[in-house]
Amino acid sequence: MSMAPDKEKETPCVGYRHGPPWVFKGSALYQLHLVKASTARAFVPRDLRLVEAFGYTLGGMFLARYHDSPAGAFDELVVIAGIVWDPPTSCAWAARVLVNSVEACRHGRKEVGLPSHVATFSKAEASALGSKPLVKSNGFLSVLGIGSTVPEQENRREIEISETKGSSTKHLCNISMPLTGSHNKHHKWMGPAIRMSLPSFSGQTEDHPDLLKYSCKVECRVRPVSPARIWNPRITEPQECSDGKINSAGPKVLADSDAQSQSISVLLSKPIFALEFSSLRMHVDAPKIVVPHCKKKEVGYSST
């Protein structure tokens, strides 16, 4: 990706003008992790209640390849900090969103209030006997174990993700996934067809100071798979904020470098399980401004 994020203001999102809802088609890996509550609170606004137990919340990642979207084909990694309570349900909070499309990045920031950043997704096929990439992969479906003919015990799919800003590039993480069920593709079970809604909070960013909420309506075939391995060769331990403390005031107090290192901490946390989404069709509604539940109580109390 040679285009700089600074050029986003000059790039109109022509495809997004046909929505909402905005429709994305492709495949994805949805992986849940046990994330330390202290790590998640560095991102979640203090007005929101983090869903936690024994010092942990549910975070993780949503790694997708869209072959059809308002911005065309692009890759996306959503780092999920944790789950927050919004009675009578709960919503996910994204710590960081990486996309290899300037148009998709701009839309995420300007229209949805997401912490979106432009990134590169370098894909390769690697042998389980060594760590060197062997053959470059052309399709993201094969990264998720779809459409490949290589036995899973011999090969893995690897993605190296780096953020780009102007002419500079900063490595974020590596993700490695086994080739699941690929040696018997004609009898491969893709899982049942399901429909579900994934509500999420966003906003409280420089572009959107208000708290926002939006819904993703998903139709796909889903099946459990082995969790992906995620690592960062340059980081051996999860990082805290630069002052050595986790600030609970929310994302506004995090410098971008701190937010990036905290995002890596989320990715490096303990995976619980992973789901493969194939034949994915996702409808994303326009976000709406919301008032946190705790503030609703305060307003109700003061008005009596």
Side-chain angles (χ1 to χ4, degrees):
M1 177 65 67
S2 59
M3 296 183 66
D6 296 336
K7 295 184 179 180
E8 295 168 52
K9 296 180 180 180
E10 305 171 6
T11 308
C13 294
V14 178
Y16 288 103
R17 292 176 183 173
H18 297 292
W22 299 286
V23 180
F24 301 79
K25 301 176 184 178
S27 57
L29 179 72
Y30 183 49
Q31 186 162 304
L32 286 179
H33 292 199
L34 279 178
V35 179
K36 288 184 178 180
S38 56
T39 299
R41 286 197 195 99
F43 298 99
V44 176
R46 56 187 170 189
D47 293 333
L48 298 177
R49 176 186 168 192
L50 186 69
V51 178
E52 60 178 294
F54 307 106
Y56 290 88
T57 185
L58 284 178
M61 70 171 186
F62 183 80
L63 176 64
R65 166 60 180 172
Y66 305 113
H67 61 75
D68 185 19
S69 80
F74 70 93
D75 302 325
E76 178 181 51
L77 172 63
V78 181
V79 182
I80 304 169
I83 305 296
V84 293
W85 181 240
D86 181 42
T89 184
S90 56
C91 297
W93 186 275
R96 208 168 188 85
V97 178
L98 289 306
V99 291
N100 56 356
S101 164
V102 172
E103 187 176 1
C105 179
R106 180 193 180 281
H107 174 77
R109 288 183 185 175
K110 305 297 182 181
E111 303 299 329
V112 191
L114 290 170
S116 298
H117 299 266
V118 176
T120 58
F121 290 66
S122 303
K123 311 174 190 73
E125 180 179 316
S127 168
L129 300 177
S131 58
K132 279 190 173 183
L134 299 180
V135 182
K136 289 291 182 180
S137 172
N138 293 324
F140 194 84
L141 289 179
S142 60
V143 173
L144 299 179
I146 303 174
S148 175
T149 59
V150 184
E152 63 177 345
Q153 65 269 25
E154 294 182 0
N155 289 270
R156 300 183 68 88
R157 297 295 186 186
E158 295 187 358
I159 309 172
E160 182 176 293
I161 301 174
S162 301
E163 289 191 27
T164 61
K165 188 171 184 180
S167 58
S168 64
T169 300
K170 186 174 183 180
H171 178 267
L172 183 72
C173 69
N174 289 53
I175 301 177
S176 176
M177 291 164 285
L179 300 179
T180 55
S182 55
H183 59 286
N184 193 9
K185 64 179 181 179
H186 296 296
H187 298 87
K188 182 180 177 184
W189 182 63
M190 301 303 296
I194 66 167
R195 293 184 179 182
M196 61 180 176
S197 179
L198 300 174
S200 299
F201 278 127
S202 62
Q204 296 213 344
T205 62
E206 183 178 348
D207 294 302
H208 278 284
D210 294 310
L211 179 65
L212 305 176
K213 184 179 180 180
Y214 65 98
S215 177
C216 299
K217 296 179 178 64
V218 175
E219 300 175 21
C220 65
R221 298 185 71 90
V222 61
R223 67 177 188 132
V225 294
S226 300
R229 290 194 295 107
I230 306 170
W231 75 97
N232 185 320
R234 298 165 178 80
I235 296 180
T236 56
E237 296 292 338
Q239 303 294 298
E240 292 185 337
C241 293
S242 56
D243 60 358
K245 299 179 181 180
I246 303 296
N247 196 319
S248 61
K252 287 184 178 179
V253 302
L254 282 178
D256 189 62
S257 59
D258 291 328
Q260 186 186 66
S261 64
Q262 287 292 82
S263 297
I264 297 173
S265 296
V266 173
L267 292 172
L268 296 181
S269 58
K270 178 69 174 178
I272 303 175
F273 70 91
L275 297 173
E276 177 187 274
F277 293 172
S278 57
S279 303
L280 172 67
R281 184 182 178 91
M282 183 169 64
H283 295 248
V284 180
D285 294 326
K288 297 179 181 179
I289 297 176
V290 297
V291 177
H293 189 67
C294 61
K295 284 194 173 183
K296 289 180 185 177
K297 288 184 178 180
E298 293 173 3
V299 171
Y301 177 81
S302 61
S303 62
T304 57

